[in-house]
Amino acid sequence: MSRRYDCSDADQRAMGLADAVIAIPKYELVVFPTDTVYGVGVDAFIPPAVTALLEAKGRGRDMPPPVLVGTVRAATALVENLGPYGQDLIDAFWPGPLTLIFRVNRSLSWDLGDAKGTVALRMPLHPLALELLKQTGPLAVSSANRSGAPAATTAAEAEEQLGTSVGVYLDGGPTPGNIPSTILDLTTAVPRLLRRGAIPVEKLRAVVGYVATDAEPEPEAEAEAKQEAEAKPDAKVEPEAKPDAKIGPEAETKPDAKPDSGD
């Protein structure tokens, strides 16, 4: 039976986090809010749990989940290297709605699906998510919805779609919106945009220079940033603000995969 905790209450928040930390090693699914939409996560290093996550969403191994982390150190331990752009992008946009795809550390013994030697990583800018991730370690996380359905922006919407397939629901209130994270592939010589999202391409280019993109409609946020840049060609687009505190993973884990419809 699913357990749901109202994390606006300090006591329930503490109980919910404690329950989630116990549930994760037991292969149970945990739903929690991020800075984009609600996510559903499992221990990234327990293959049966990852399988249960994919089954709950109604999707196959060809769409492996991304991995959310609570610290930069955890992220660097999962990848072969950050490459020439990884650290600068992390410094500018983490924690935040940017998913970065790297070559995975080949010494890891995990199975996220048909990831073809890559992993999609993100550190979300949400206090409840970060607190959970720091206690559990890296989690394989996908948007908390059935495949093809709208991403959940409340715990109630997530529970309506996933029901008792989830062990713990951490209700952190509505998420800021339903715009997903931007996905950038760093496994190629030139950073390649796989999904437009909350961080406009112009802001990425302000950090790394050139970003390869496919011709596709631009979301409102990127269109506005582009218009501003064109109106002021000499103006530099500044990276998004980061929280004052220094903090130590929806996206796909392979460059050729269709981007996840969620976080």
Side-chain angles (χ1 to χ4, degrees):
M1 182 176 180
S2 300
R3 291 90 66 196
R4 183 170 167 182
Y5 299 89
D6 179 2
C7 294
S8 64
D9 178 86
D11 291 337
Q12 286 207 38
R13 177 189 176 102
M15 288 189 295
L17 284 168
D19 191 1
V21 170
I22 294 172
I24 290 292
K26 295 181 179 179
Y27 303 8
E28 289 190 81
L29 279 62
V30 174
V31 162
F32 57 94
T34 76
D35 51 345
T36 54
V37 297
Y38 268 76
V40 54
V42 296
D43 191 318
F45 293 93
I46 301 179
V50 175
T51 298
L53 168 62
L54 296 175
E55 289 177 348
K57 283 187 61 76
R59 60 198 299 175
R61 286 174 53 82
D62 60 320
M63 297 184 73
V67 173
L68 299 192
V69 295
T71 67
V72 173
R73 177 178 293 182
T76 56
L78 300 177
V79 303
E80 196 173 83
N81 60 69
L82 296 179
Y85 307 107
Q87 189 63 60
D88 289 341
L89 289 163
I90 287 172
D91 290 343
F93 300 113
W94 278 16
L98 176 63
T99 298
L100 297 173
I101 298 182
F102 298 98
R103 291 291 172 190
V104 71
N105 185 332
R106 287 172 287 183
S107 68
L108 296 179
S109 58
W110 66 3
D111 184 5
L112 298 176
D114 299 331
K116 297 185 178 179
T118 67
V119 61
L121 297 178
R122 188 166 89 83
M123 184 163 68
L125 181 55
H126 193 288
L128 184 58
L130 287 173
E131 189 171 353
L132 175 65
L133 289 161
K134 288 178 181 179
Q135 294 186 53
T136 62
L139 297 179
V141 180
S142 188
S143 54
N145 59 282
R146 292 284 296 176
S147 185
T153 58
T154 67
E157 290 175 358
E159 189 169 10
E160 183 178 349
Q161 295 194 55
L162 300 177
T164 57
S165 65
V166 172
V168 177
Y169 287 89
L170 299 179
D171 186 350
T175 59
N178 61 357
I179 299 177
S181 65
T182 300
I183 304 177
L184 192 64
D185 181 10
L186 297 182
T187 66
T188 55
V190 173
R192 183 162 63 100
L193 185 75
L194 295 191
R195 181 177 71 191
R196 298 176 186 267
I199 297 179
V201 174
E202 293 305 317
K203 288 192 174 184
L204 299 176
R205 286 176 174 149
V207 175
V208 302
Y210 183 76
V211 174
T213 63
D214 295 326
E216 59 180 274
E218 297 177 338
E220 182 178 351
E222 183 175 332
E224 291 177 354
K226 184 175 181 180
Q227 289 172 2
E228 181 179 348
E230 290 174 346
K232 301 177 180 179
D234 295 329
K236 180 180 179 182
V237 181
E238 296 295 333
E240 292 183 345
K242 296 174 62 180
D244 293 334
K246 292 184 179 180
I247 303 177
E250 166 122 21
E252 287 306 316
T253 58
K254 54 183 181 178
D256 297 327
K258 179 182 179 181
D260 198 306
S261 60
D263 176 57

